[in-house]
Amino acid sequence: MVPTDANFMGNVFGGHILQEIDQVAFIAASRHAKTGCVTASLDRVDFLSPIHVGDVVDFDAEITYVGTSSMEVWVQVRAEPTHGGDLRPVAEAFVTMVAVDPSGRPVPVPPLVLESVEERLRFEEGRRRMEERRRTRRPRPE
Ligand SMILES: CC(C)(COP(=O)(O)OP(=O)(O)OC[C@H]1O[C@@H](n2cnc3c(N)ncnc32)[C@H](O)[C@@H]1OP(=O)(O)O)[C@@H](O)C(=O)NCCC(=O)NCCS
């Protein structure tokens, strides 16, 4: 992180991290879908500790659930001082990306290959979160 990423206190803007989270989720989703994707929603994001100018920030994205055209991407954000030290968790978020065709219409994505018990568990949790999003979201305006 460089000084232009920071507020007057020397901490990195949350909005800057949100932008990176969105981009990392986009890359993960596009690789899985092998087509363009759009961000449909970003769940609650908690900033667990401040990120300072000079920190090296690590973004790790994983697809946890896929529906028909939607994908839930879990992004974990960790930071460490430039000269090394412990990688500390600073934020995490669940992003829903939707695969779309060139006219922006949703298109189906390949299924997720689940190999471990942990992956199956995450998929099931993702399915429940996706149902909750579907239940609570506002209808798309006409
Ligand atoms: C996301 C978008 C493509 C969905 O289109 P739609 O016509 O509403 O399509 P559908 O209702 O058929 O939904 C398609 C999928 O998206 C999911 N979805 C739609 N809106 C969602 C939301 N707000 N949150 C999570 N998932 C959502 C649906 O559950 C469905 O999933 P499934 O195919 O796995 O069952 C459309 O709302 C859109 O283009 N939004 C703007 C996206 C954008 O521009 N993002 C960047 C912001 S600057």
Side-chain angles (χ1 to χ4, degrees):
M1 294 291 131
V2 297
T4 49
D5 300 325
N7 61 25
F8 59 87
M9 291 167 67
N11 296 333
V12 171
F13 279 117
H16 180 65
I17 299 301
L18 287 182
Q19 181 176 351
E20 300 285 335
I21 287 175
D22 191 28
Q23 287 176 352
V24 167
F26 170 81
I27 294 167
S30 301
R31 280 183 182 162
H32 180 78
K34 299 189 172 42
T35 183
C37 296
V38 290
T39 312
S41 78
L42 191 66
D43 285 16
R44 169 181 170 158
V45 182
D46 287 314
F47 292 102
L48 310 170
S49 75
I51 304 172
H52 308 290
V53 169
D55 280 347
V56 176
V57 181
D58 176 79
F59 294 83
D60 193 21
E62 209 169 301
I63 310 256
T64 41
Y65 171 82
V66 302
T68 303
S69 63
S70 64
M71 292 155 280
E72 182 189 71
V73 189
W74 178 42
V75 182
Q76 263 189 301
V77 189
R78 290 173 296 177
E80 63 176 323
T82 316
H83 302 298
D86 287 341
L87 204 55
R88 61 189 193 282
V90 289
E92 67 172 337
F94 286 101
V95 185
T96 305
M97 307 292 305
V98 176
V100 290
D101 67 14
S103 4
R105 277 188 297 264
V107 290
V109 297
L112 203 55
V113 179
L114 303 169
E115 280 165 355
S116 66
V117 174
E118 201 190 6
E119 284 170 351
R120 283 193 202 99
L121 204 64
R122 277 193 196 158
F123 186 87
E124 192 46 41
E125 289 167 354
R127 193 179 59 74
R128 280 201 286 268
R129 280 188 296 270
M130 203 61 99
E131 275 169 9
E132 185 61 11
R133 290 181 194 110
R134 203 167 285 139
R135 200 180 63 76
T136 54
R137 76 173 168 250
R138 298 173 67 176
R140 194 177 178 186
E142 294 304 319

